[in-house]
Amino acid sequence: MEEIKFHIDDTCVKCGACAVDCPVQCITEGAVKFIIGKGCISCGDCYSICPVGAVKMVKHNNDKKKDSEN
């Protein structure tokens, strides 16, 4: 099963829209860009609101059974 995570890349212009829109308040301002913290619930609000497309969707394979068989 795939799990969706979000990441903010270096194209972030630090407008803060993602942090304001985050329902769990887990996005904070870093030195160069905003950062999505561990409290992220993968709702995608930041992804859909970012005006420059700096929030990227990353799919992780979360199939522990398959990983343990290898």
Side-chain angles (χ1 to χ4, degrees):
M1 176 188 252
E2 287 185 331
E3 182 179 3
I4 297 174
K5 295 285 186 180
F6 294 91
H7 168 76
I8 300 174
D9 70 17
D10 291 339
T11 61
C12 174
V13 295
K14 293 180 75 173
C15 70
C18 58
V20 171
D21 200 49
C22 180
V24 292
Q25 308 289 301
C26 75
I27 302 176
T28 57
E29 187 175 1
V32 178
K33 61 184 179 179
F34 275 79
I35 300 163
I36 300 174
K38 292 182 181 181
C40 177
I41 59 172
S42 299
C43 68
D45 284 358
C46 56
Y47 179 80
S48 63
I49 200 165
C50 181
V52 296
V55 180
K56 305 299 182 194
M57 185 184 314
V58 182
K59 293 181 181 178
H60 291 275
N61 188 346
N62 197 23
D63 188 351
K64 293 180 182 180
K65 182 180 177 185
K66 184 176 180 180
D67 290 343
S68 66
E69 291 175 354
N70 293 330

